[in-house]
Amino acid sequence: MHGRPRKATKQEDPAAAAAKSARLRVLQSQLLHFHHNRIYTKEAVSVSSKLLDINPEIYTGWNYRKLAFQHNLKEVSDTDTDTETIKSAIEDELRMVEVALRRNPKSYGAWYHRKWILGQKLVLANFDHEFRLLDMLLKADARNFHGWNYRRFIARLKDVSEEEELKFTMDMINTNFSNYSAWHNRSMLLSKLLRKKVKGFHEEESILSDEFELVRQALFTDPSDQSGWFYHLWLLDQTSTPHKPHLVSSWPSDKLNIEISAQFKEKCERFPIIFCFNQQVDGVNLATVTVNSKLVSSEHITWKPLSANNSRKSKIWVAFLQNFNKYCDNSEGLSVEISLHCCESIVHLKFLMKLSHMDHQGKNGDGFEELFLWDCPKSQEINPYLVSYDPWRLRVESVEEDAKWHLDTLSAEIALFKEMSECDEDSKFVKLTLARLLGAHNSIKSGGSSYFEEILKLYDDLIKLDAPHFSYYRDERSLVLLDQMTSSKDSLVEYCSRCENTSFSCINPQLCINFSGLNLTRIGFVERLLWVQILDLSHNNLTSILGLEALQLLVCLNLSHNQIMSFTALEPIKSLQSLKVLDLSFNEIGSHPVDTTRYLCSSPLSHTCNVTETMEELARENIKIGDFWEAILLFESLQLAQLDMQGNPVTNERFRVLVEKVIPCLKWLDGKPVR
Amino acid sequence: MHHRPSVKQPQPCDQGSKEQIIGTENRNRDSDVNSQNLFLPPFRSVSFHFSAFSKKKIPFQWERGFNRQKSPLLSPPVLLAAMAEIPTSDYPTIDPTSFDLIVSGTGLSASLLAAAASVAGKSVLHLDSNPFYGSHFSSLPLPSFLSYISSPSSPPNLYSDVEASSQSLPEPSRSFLVDLVGPRLLYCSDETVDLLLRSGASHHVEFKSVDSSLVYWDGKLCSVPDSRQAIFKDKSLGLTEKSQMMKFFKLVQSHISLTRSGTTTESGEEGGVMIPEEDLEMPFVEFLKKQRLPPKIRALVLYAIAMADYEQDNGDSCKMVVSTREGIETISLYTSSIGRFVNAVGAFIYPMYGHGELPQAFCRCAAVKGALYVLRMPVIDILTDKESNKYIGVRLASGQEIFSSKLVLDPSYQIPASLSPRETVVSSNLSSYVAKGVCITDRSLEPNSANILLVFPPKSLHQEQSTAVRALQISGNVAVCPSGFFIVHLSTPCEDAALGKEYINSAMKALFNSRELPAESVQAQTKEEGESVEAPTQEEGETKPTLLWCCAFVQELREASYDGAVSICPMPDANLDFRNILSTTRKLFQNMYPGEEFIPQNSAADNIDDDADEGSPE
């Protein structure tokens, strides 16, 4: 039980312990004997009772009892249909569970057995008895989550109204507000009631306001108690996250004029269309998206979710227009209209693609005759280009319209917690909540005064204050920083530069975003960067690049001087089909003997690949494929022209050979031309 | 308006009314015994005692003594002097005629001394001039109470300025038991409770807990947030106030637990914080200010939790400054009281049938140890050795002379100047008087609470009010009045009797509507409406309970004193609890019998079963 030191287990008398274990062994072997031979007599079942009485953790015992119960019940129903017999059989089982629970109130097997018995619904359960049992249990330990689980089960079985259960959680919170289970159950019940719009729960806003008021009492009474903060987090989420999914951004954005470089139009075969949603959605397909242009009809377009775990749901959906270049030759260009039927609303997009005849100052060939260098000079010249790009401002107006209550609530909370942080300067909960509140406020209210500097300061404080959770705060800080940098054109201009050297992409202009040296540990707000083709993330602390998969236009990516530890951490790159230049130098790839990231990603065995030819070659070079499996899978899927890998523990002469074999089109490796 | 009721000494009541009282009382008793929430664990054997005795239809001890019945509570080993066969006019003869100790008066202090001396093996004769137990610590039926405090017969005017409302006494008036010591409570963890358990007196008393603790602030009654959960639930505190109050409690809690565990370092290494020594010496109010607590919380902590009686906020002119150490000690007692007994709701408990039960319980302990009890036996003279002029014995109203080496006297006894004790035991009471009030109503001050402790912090009633006024509402569930009625005791220490009474009267006005005011019918109407709609709020005057009867009086505070063989017991003090009385009594005992332990552990006579143990809920 929480807050009570666990008593040291009593040193058992060795003789008694030995006798007990001998008895357990005998009972256990007896049970297994009965189990295997399907003997379900009274005597046999009583052996399982004895065993479970001593040790309720033996699952086999419970399973055996379930089989015995079913078997004996069947026999009863074959002979006569005496409900009394069934009733007494059920009562026996329930009694057994109670005995076990008395020994260990947190025995999973026992609780499950009870649920299983009552879940059969053979006879009407004695609910009074069950609730009494629960009362007793929760009196002994009000936070026993098994008890709460079982309560939910019983309430459902009895069809107790959610309002009544909500009242119960209030009683429990009034008895002791330091009760995660009670707060949690409250959030579950309220979600249900609000969703179902039960009488008295129509006005979500006033209900949530009341809950804010309630949890404030707990937070202010004892800020060091975590249970209330968890509930507050849930409330904040209810307040700041729109319930319905909606489109956040798209590439191309509405009314965009895209210039296609005439010089390279032959190479441009695929043009990506990207949708970013605020939450994971499914069902983006031909039925919901219509594409209107003289080029293609919708049927030729396949929508694919971009997700790491191969699920059918994703925040980001992509489709490619094939062979579009043929159609943008004429002077009007190619106009494309897209309508997306999503989430009870329709979004229309219209964009125009035109050939541009701007010369790339005598650059010929396919653009990789020379080494691509990352030192793009910053120039104010880019400004006019940037103006035409406004993809990060796609917002559904209606969201802001009914955001008044949300903004008011958040503002009130912010004011309260600011006051609290003044008298309690070192409370990490207050600081974190304040940072989250300010962030939520920012996310709802676009433009105007934003709290970025304040949030960053809070996370900086937290990093110093609460060392054990250092990584989490750094991640959150990275997101805030990215939010700030991408929040408006003016702020983004600071990080933009125009790459003079660019002549390998067909879409103009080629802008370089430089987010280097910012202590970033993770990526976010990619929906505002869908148009980026050259991205510099060097000199950060990235260990993961999750999110980059959305940047389908990316041609050059610099990840040098980060802390990427494995090839599996680079998984998102695999879907960046237009990527040509990749700098991975001075990371930590290969530093860890076990690639821990792979456990988070789909199994490498799930990939289908045809590397037989390459593999044979590698075998000839005496390279063990097993050692470089992830590297092969990664590079094999890309058509890189330039790669930098130096300064990684994995890099050696044999690895260079491997890379050259795996990427036949590679022209530059570690700054040197490939033979 | 106010008239002094002409009261005669209590007379034996006629058979008819007596029967009635007996009937009511027994019914009350039985029903209470059967009610579930009655028994706090350490006192559980009480049910056994009562059920055994109630068969014999015995009314109160007071009535018993009065009617000169043989008390079945003082069973076999006790020789009861007031035996039924003897005619009223005759006094019994006491045999033997020499004792180690004669105690005259059965107040709490005297009864404790008798019990302690008996436990220590002394032969004790315990007398009382009254026909009832308890002296100035007893609980009396309303008419008897009035006559007791208004009686001009006792030469020293211990009670004065008695002023009662002109309304007739609520009926049945004898069913209202009024504490002379009220308003008073016991902390669950205080020494008195320990002593009850140690002596076995707990067998004879049972308790109920006080449901809520209120404070009068800004003209309103607010609950006293005295625990983490109470702070959470409180509706009147602001968020910041909650946070500040909890922070303060945590500091105190950490200090208390470190003090208990014996850590000496000023800032405990294990995360706990101790209050530095220099802070412990400063006035508590200054310490609270140092913790940046706002005035309201300071008042709550000072007057409703640390129970300061005198205004702390006016610097040097403050009469009795509570030091941080004292304040923390009281809070420590308060918090350790909460949850000591599983059945007790808060920190305080109140004895069933009133505080008069406590001295009786100790008398019984003494009786069990062999002390001899004689009621209605005044001491009329003190005998001294002619040569040394030292105390040798007493002459009783019966004319009999009894000798002893030590004598303990009631504070009301007029002692010859030659024998007058010169040593006064610790003077902690600064005032010489305590103004008291007794009110009777038929509605609780707060819905859903029967027994309520209430404090009016200094300045909450008057700008010049320099002392806290305490009030205690008790109800039918502690068997001091018929169910549906409530008795409210009020008190405040004072130097000037008139001023003290003024505070008491304004406190009454703040709490109640008086029947003597006009517009009674309007009030009754609105009251009914209020009740039918929902729980009435405290803010509106219309919803105040109506006063059925009240009285106010002033009691003199008299210190205990001793000189050689003769000790004089203290009067009830102005405090909320008995701790001060107890420590004074302990000092008197140590002076009488140096080297003897004052009711040692396990001195309970018939410790038949295990119920004298702590009964700790853990």
Side-chain angles (χ1 to χ4, degrees), chain B residues 154-172:
Chain B
S154 47
N157 263 325
L158 287 172
Y159 304 99
S160 58
D161 300 86
V162 181
E163 196 181 334
S165 62
S166 57
Q167 286 146 304
S168 58
L169 298 185
E171 290 300 331

Side-chain angles (χ1 to χ4, degrees), chain A residues 170 173-178 183 214 216-218 220-225 416 419-420 423-424, chain B residues 227-247 250 292:
Chain A
M170 194 62 242
I173 289 166
N174 269 336
T175 318
N176 184 358
F177 65 82
S178 178
W183 288 112
L214 173 69
R216 255 177 237 146
Q217 308 302 318
F220 275 81
T221 304
D222 194 352
S224 62
D225 186 86
L416 262 176
E419 192 185 320
M420 191 174 185
C423 47
D424 200 354
Chain B
S227 68
R228 184 175 180 263
Q229 210 56 39
I231 294 173
F232 169 67
K233 280 194 272 185
D234 192 278
K235 297 260 194 300
S236 64
L237 288 177
L239 290 172
T240 323
E241 290 174 317
K242 288 189 174 195
S243 163
Q244 286 164 323
M245 192 149 186
M246 193 58 210
K247 230 164 125 187
K250 276 189 172 170
R292 287 186 283 169

